[in-house]
């Protein structure tokens, strides 16, 4: 495959440890019939001897090494439903690489529409360009969920699910990094590794609780030597160390086993604890019973012994396994975030679940009764898993924490890849974390939260570009004079021509971003918005836009969408159109903010009521060829746009300078 001509040998070496690569044409030789005749016998003898030695050594190795026997035994073990753990790798519909995670009872870790080998001739230039410049990511290899975020002695700590050996999921270890400002990060040694029977198959997701005396408690899921999901306790060895370098796993772990009636692979991701009126701490843990997603409730006083409560915090039929449950209060009157134990008048509680079945993060607003430890949604029709999503793009396994330093609640989310797994192996890394977002209750609508990039990201803003009151007639496209458009913070507002709006309606006012033709599908009142990561001939473009659907009854609904269908000329990447409706109140103009960082676009509509994160992999609209355009593809209305954009400097992400201490 001439694809690999472009890649220097370093990449080939890197990739070949995971994916056997074909010989390049320069090194591939047709067999010479004469040569093969003369060489055949010696090769055969040498290979037979080698093979015999290998088999002999392997048998001896197996006999003397009980751990290996255990691994071999585990490979044929069954999960809680009595299914073979290797089933996924034998699945008949699977054309691509083996499934990641499902056999261990966690959701699929790869983009499944792709085939095993890259079908597009990715070059090193293209792949290097994809690495982000101001999002958090490790120096190499695989990352997934954010874990145990906290603020301690002037530093923000982020732990994360990490595979130290490869750009695909496995061998999950807790990576660790610290930051003064949530934007520039210093990588630290691993916080926890899979080295005990109760987490040997993975130190999985967990959360931190800061106790009133300042002690830090970390609860996390361990995947045991028998592939059972248990909860474990860990704590810092030295609280006066601002870097929290050393973590002690409680010697009598696990502290919680799957309770009766709960599958051994359906019990994971403990939340941050909160304290109730009886002075006892509570945590909740996601699970399922048949197809009903549930959140189990536990009480504890010492974080060592736990009492399982009879009732559930909440359950929603049909939503399947709940992963990474997050539960926290928001103020309905104030603008600060609330510590996790706060409750009372003027407080609502957000319940968030990451649905294993569709790998999206859903939330709902509701009321928490701390006497009966029950949460009730404000609107049962928009319950967890059937209503609002935190993010309508590529975003999963999110987690909040209370930043006691700035009195705000901050949200982290895992932004996975939507390209081919083999391409991830070539580039040597997979996934980033979102820019942390502040979360507040939307006092204007009363029906949703607002997510907004932390203020600190604005410290990266540099050269700015501004254009005001540009009239976008139906069908128009206006290039913006922004050079170097791979790292941008863009704020834009759009006013729809009032008279034209009043006089128009559509016979069929139903709209659905995902089922639509994206930005190419023209309606009377949309789409209009911004094209980012577009090249001049528009052979590649990522539109982020509004679409207003107004019916004969005069009622209008506004949608916010991000269209990846033409983001890349490569065929082996996701081409979905993402999005949903966004509340727009009378008198409000339409506004959006976009953080463009190479292969990521985080888009926020109406101050963060609806959010979409896109992973895009352009092949042409990269480096200096990347441009920004305004567009209006509506047929019946003009739109006036104003835009301010900043070029974004790169954040500093580097190993902690221990040598300079
Ligand atoms: N990731 C962890 C699990 C969690 C899943 C394993 C969600 O604890 O349920 O890496 O992505």
């Amino acid at each position: 495959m001439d694809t690999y001509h472009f890649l220097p040998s370093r990449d080939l070496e890197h990739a070949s440890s995971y994916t056997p690569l074909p010989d390049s044409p320069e090194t591939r030789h047709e067999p010479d019939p004469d040569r093969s005749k003369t060489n055949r016998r010696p090769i055969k003898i040498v290979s037979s001897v080698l093979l015999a030695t290998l088999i002999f050594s392997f048998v001896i190795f197996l006999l003397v090494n009980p751990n290996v026997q255990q691994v071999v035994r585990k490979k044929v073990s069954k999960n809680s439903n009595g299914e073979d753990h290797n089933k996924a790798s034998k699945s008949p519909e699977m054309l691509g690489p083996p499934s990641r995670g499902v056999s261990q009872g966690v959701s699929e870790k790869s983009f499944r529409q792709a085939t095993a080998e890259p079908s597009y001739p990715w070059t090193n230039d293209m792949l290097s360009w994809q690495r982000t410049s101001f999002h958090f990511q490790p120096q190499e290899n695989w990352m997934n969920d954010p874990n145990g975020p906290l603020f301690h002695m002037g530093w923000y700590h982020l732990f994360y699910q990490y595979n130290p050996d490869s750009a695909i999921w496995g061998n999950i270890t807790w990576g660790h990094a610290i930051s003064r400002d949530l934007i520039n990060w210093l990588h630290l040694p691993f916080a926890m590794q899979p080295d005990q029977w109760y987490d040997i198959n993975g130190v999985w997701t967990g959360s931190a609780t800061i106790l009133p005396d300042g002690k830090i408690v970390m609860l996390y899921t361990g995947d045991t030597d028998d592939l059972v999901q248990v909860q474990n306790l860990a704590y810092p060895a030295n609280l006066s160390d601002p870097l929290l370098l050393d973590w002690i796993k409680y010697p009598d772990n696990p502290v919680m086993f799957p309770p009766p009636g709960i599958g051994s692979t359906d019990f994971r991701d403990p939340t941050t604890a909160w304290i109730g009126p009886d002075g006892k701490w509570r945590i909740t843990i996601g699970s399922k019973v048949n197809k009903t997603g549930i959140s189990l409730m536990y009480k504890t006083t010492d974080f060592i012994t736990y009492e399982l409560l009879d009732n559930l915090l909440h359950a929603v039929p049909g939503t399947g396994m709940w992963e990474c449950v997050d539960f926290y209060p928001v103020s309905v009157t104030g603008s600060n975030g609330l510590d996790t134990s706060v409750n009372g008048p003027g407080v609502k509680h957000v319940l968030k679940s990451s649905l294993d079945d569709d790998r999206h993060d859903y939330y709902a607003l509701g009321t928490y009764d701390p006497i009966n430890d029950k949460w009730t949604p404000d609107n049962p029709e928009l319950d967890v898993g059937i209503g609002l999503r935190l993010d309508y793009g590529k975003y999963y396994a999110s987690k909040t924490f209370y930043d006691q330093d700035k009195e705000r609640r901050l949200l982290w989310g895992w932004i996975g890849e939507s390209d081919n797994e083999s391409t991830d192996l070539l580039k040597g890394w997979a996934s980033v974390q979102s820019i942390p977002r502040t979360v507040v209750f939307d006092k204007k609508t009363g029906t949703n939260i607002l997510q907004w990039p932390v203020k600190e990201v604005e410290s990266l803003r540099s050269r700015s570009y501004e254009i005001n009151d540009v009239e976008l007639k139906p069908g128009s496209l206006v290039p913006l004079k922004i050079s170097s458009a791979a790292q941008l913070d863009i704020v834009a507002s759009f006013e729809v021509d009032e008279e034209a709006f009043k006089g128009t309606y559509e016979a069929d006012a139903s709209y659905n971003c995902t089922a639509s033709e994206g930005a190419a599908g023209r309606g009377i009142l949309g789409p209009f918005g911004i094209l980012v990561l577009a090249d001049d001939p528009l052979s590649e473009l990522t539109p982020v836009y509004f679409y207003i659907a107004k019916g004969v009854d005069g009622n209008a609904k506004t949608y916010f969408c991000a269209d990846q269908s033409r983001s890349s000329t490569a065929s082996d990447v996701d081409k979905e159109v993402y999005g949903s409706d966004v509340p727009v109140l009378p008198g409000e103009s339409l506004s959006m903010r976009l953080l463009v960082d190479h292969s990521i676009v985080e888009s926020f509509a109406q101050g963060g009521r609806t959010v979409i994160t896109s992973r895009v992999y352009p092949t042409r609209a990269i480096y200096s060829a990347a441009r920004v355009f305004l567009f209006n593809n509506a047929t019946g209305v003009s739109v006036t746009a104003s835009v301010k954009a900043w070029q974004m400097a790169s954040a500093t992400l580097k190993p902690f300078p221990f040598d300079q201490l």
Side-chain angles (χ1 to χ4, degrees), residues 466-514:
E466 191 165 353
I467 187 165
N468 289 305
D469 302 326
V470 187
E471 197 197 352
L472 301 171
K473 292 215 154 60
S476 61
L477 183 72
V478 175
L480 300 186
K481 290 197 186 78
I482 300 176
S483 58
S484 193
Q487 295 176 213
L488 294 173
D489 185 350
I490 306 173
V491 176
S493 63
F494 301 86
E495 303 275 355
V496 176
D497 179 76
E498 191 110 357
E499 285 311 305
F501 178 78
K502 275 188 196 150
T504 51
Y505 62 86
E506 282 173 303
D508 177 11
S510 62
Y511 189 73
N512 177 321
C513 300
T514 304

Side-chain angles (χ1 to χ4, degrees), residues 9-290:
S9 54
R10 192 177 56 80
D11 293 288
L12 289 174
E13 271 162 31
H14 190 105
S16 63
S17 57
Y18 313 109
T19 320
L21 293 174
D23 288 334
S24 70
E26 285 98 332
T27 55
R28 196 193 309 134
H29 300 288
E30 288 308 315
D32 171 338
D34 292 335
R35 212 166 154 247
S36 65
K37 248 183 248 157
T38 49
N39 286 348
R40 195 179 297 147
R41 192 175 295 270
I43 287 176
K44 221 173 171 179
I45 291 168
V46 169
S47 48
S48 311
V49 171
L50 265 177
L51 190 67
T53 317
L54 262 175
I55 291 171
F56 181 68
S57 325
F58 184 58
V59 169
I60 296 295
F61 185 58
L62 276 184
L63 289 175
V64 298
N65 194 333
N67 288 341
V68 174
Q69 290 176 26
Q70 204 176 28
V71 172
V72 172
R73 176 173 60 80
K74 258 186 333 231
K75 282 197 172 152
V76 294
S77 68
K78 314 266 184 201
N79 67 17
S80 57
N81 304 321
E83 290 161 352
D84 188 331
H85 282 302
N86 284 343
K87 207 171 123 198
S89 60
K90 293 176 196 150
S91 159
E93 87 282 0
M94 201 184 58
L95 302 166
S99 179
R100 311 285 174 203
V102 179
S103 61
Q104 279 179 268
V106 291
S107 41
E108 184 57 66
K109 301 301 174 193
S110 304
F111 173 57
R112 303 303 304 165
Q113 277 148 277
T115 53
E117 293 298 322
S119 58
Y120 184 81
W122 294 102
T123 66
N124 252 357
D125 276 353
M126 293 170 191
L127 295 180
S128 325
W129 181 88
Q130 288 174 14
R131 196 168 169 89
T132 61
S133 286
F134 59 92
H135 281 74
F136 176 81
Q137 59 180 124
Q139 290 179 298
E140 57 179 358
N141 292 328
W142 168 273
M143 171 174 67
N144 54 297
D145 319 354
N147 291 152
L150 59 94
F151 180 82
H152 178 68
M153 294 178 76
W155 292 97
Y156 291 99
H157 289 253
L158 175 67
F159 306 87
Y160 53 89
Q161 299 277 284
Y162 183 62
N163 183 351
D165 304 325
S166 167
I168 54 179
W169 186 86
N171 190 26
I172 291 297
T173 297
W174 270 37
H176 185 190
I178 51 168
S179 170
R180 292 273 189 206
D181 60 5
L182 295 159
I183 300 299
N184 299 290
W185 291 90
L186 297 169
H187 299 293
L188 291 176
F190 303 140
M192 291 192 276
Q193 305 196 54
D195 53 11
Q196 304 294 320
W197 70 268
Y198 53 76
D199 62 14
I200 197 76
N201 278 303
V203 184
W204 287 359
T205 282
S207 307
T209 303
I210 303 185
L211 306 185
D213 63 2
K215 287 205 184 88
I216 297 171
V217 165
M218 199 66 90
L219 286 171
Y220 72 92
T221 299
D223 193 21
T224 71
D225 55 357
D226 256 346
L227 300 172
V228 175
Q229 294 169 10
V230 296
Q231 315 312 324
N232 299 316
L233 167 65
Y235 34 84
N238 177 8
L239 256 192
S240 58
D241 170 16
L243 308 188
L244 298 176
L245 283 178
D246 298 314
W247 288 81
I248 295 174
K249 293 179 185 173
Y250 174 60
D252 276 341
N253 274 335
V255 291
M256 278 170 266
F257 289 90
I262 295 297
S264 59
T265 58
D266 303 330
F267 182 58
R268 55 187 181 270
D269 312 330
T271 57
T272 293
W274 68 96
I275 204 157
D278 56 3
K280 292 186 179 174
W281 291 95
R282 278 99 164 125
I283 60 155
T284 186
I285 300 180
S287 185
K288 67 170 176 183
V289 172
N290 300 319

Side-chain angles (χ1 to χ4, degrees), residues 388-407:
L388 301 173
R389 274 171 56 184
L390 276 183
D391 188 305
Y392 289 85
K394 189 79 188 164
Y395 187 90
Y396 193 60
S398 64
K399 182 177 296 300
T400 62
F401 76 107
Y402 178 64
D403 170 7
Q404 71 273 27
D405 188 47
K406 300 215 162 43
E407 299 183 353

